[in-house]
Amino acid sequence: MIGLLRGRIVHLDRDRGEVFVELSSGIGYKVSVNTRTMERLDPAAESVLYTYHQFIRDGEQRLVGFLTRDEVVALETLVATPKVGPAMALSILNTYGPSELAVIVSSDDVDALCAVSGVGRTTAQRVMVEMKNKLVVDLSDPNFARIGSSGTAPGNDARADVADALLALGYSVAQARTATGHLPEHLVAGADTGILLKEALRHIEAGQA
């Protein structure tokens, strides 16, 4: 199964949502990409696409490409959710990147998922439940969040709880990321969410002063 392609983009078909990648061996692959990926591709440079091998019907299959491994893992996780097929999963990832999806799931923002075409409230709630235990939120990571099956590192659960609280209070993702990233390690080790939240709010207020 093909999991990664490295090569030169020789053709972009924006109407069909397809790109043709030529490898150093001279072999070329047709890869389906969503709008988010298409917009970030640089035809003038060598590109790396992480791929998802989709089997459709009657032997038909295609490669779906993304610029990050996180997007592939997010797609695989979504497809494994009951009532969420590849088409709907791709639609969700065309609207939200992995980090945005991670925040939506961790904050139970059903309305945000319902904003995706074809996603009803029942399906959105099912996605929330299914993905909640598969979510890795690491606020010390530059990408803010990752989706996967591993557990969080020590201290990340406490930061995630504080981030959830800040989001619930109406603060932005950027504010939550910055505030939790500045939490002192000795406080995080204690994992007292109340104290951590006060410290995070103090940091936000200081920045707004």
Side-chain angles (χ1 to χ4, degrees):
M1 183 175 294
I2 299 171
L4 180 148
L5 295 174
R6 181 190 298 273
R8 186 169 61 94
I9 305 296
V10 295
H11 179 67
L12 292 86
D13 189 330
R14 299 183 185 280
D15 293 332
R16 291 178 176 272
E18 297 174 343
V19 299
F20 291 80
V21 184
E22 181 183 32
L23 310 188
S24 58
S25 62
I27 296 175
Y29 287 87
K30 181 173 70 174
V31 185
S32 296
V33 298
N34 62 15
T35 303
R36 295 170 67 95
T37 300
M38 182 75 78
E39 291 174 347
R40 291 182 289 166
L41 283 173
D42 182 3
E46 182 181 66
S47 299
V48 174
L49 287 175
Y50 295 87
T51 58
Y52 172 80
H53 205 147
Q54 181 186 358
F55 296 90
I56 305 175
R57 61 182 178 276
D58 299 328
E60 184 181 356
Q61 51 188 295
R62 67 171 177 170
L63 288 176
V64 181
F66 299 96
L67 290 180
T68 67
R69 173 62 183 159
D70 282 350
E71 290 171 289
V72 176
V73 175
L75 176 61
E76 292 172 341
T77 307
L78 284 167
V79 170
T81 301
K83 305 297 183 182
V84 177
M88 182 178 292
L90 287 169
S91 181
I92 291 173
L93 287 175
N94 195 42
T95 305
Y96 302 113
S99 294
E100 296 168 300
L101 184 59
V103 173
I104 288 170
V105 172
S106 65
S107 59
D108 292 316
D109 192 349
V110 175
D111 290 336
L113 271 185
C114 288
V116 178
S117 177
V119 178
R121 182 162 293 273
T122 299
T123 299
Q125 291 172 334
R126 185 183 294 273
V127 169
M128 293 291 181
V129 173
E130 293 291 332
M131 295 195 73
K132 183 77 74 174
N133 296 328
K134 300 180 178 68
L135 189 67
V136 177
V137 180
D138 182 359
L139 294 168
S140 65
D141 189 285
N143 295 320
F144 177 60
R146 303 190 307 278
I147 294 179
S149 58
S150 60
T152 55
N156 287 341
D157 284 337
R159 283 193 169 91
D161 288 341
V162 175
D164 287 345
L166 291 173
L167 292 170
L169 290 171
Y171 291 101
S172 69
V173 170
Q175 288 174 311
R177 178 176 60 239
T178 301
T180 53
H182 281 79
L183 291 173
E185 288 300 325
H186 70 279
L187 289 182
V188 174
D192 187 322
T193 305
I195 294 176
L196 292 174
L197 179 58
K198 289 179 181 178
E199 186 66 25
L201 288 170
R202 187 179 297 112
H203 177 82
I204 292 175
E205 291 168 0
Q208 293 175 339

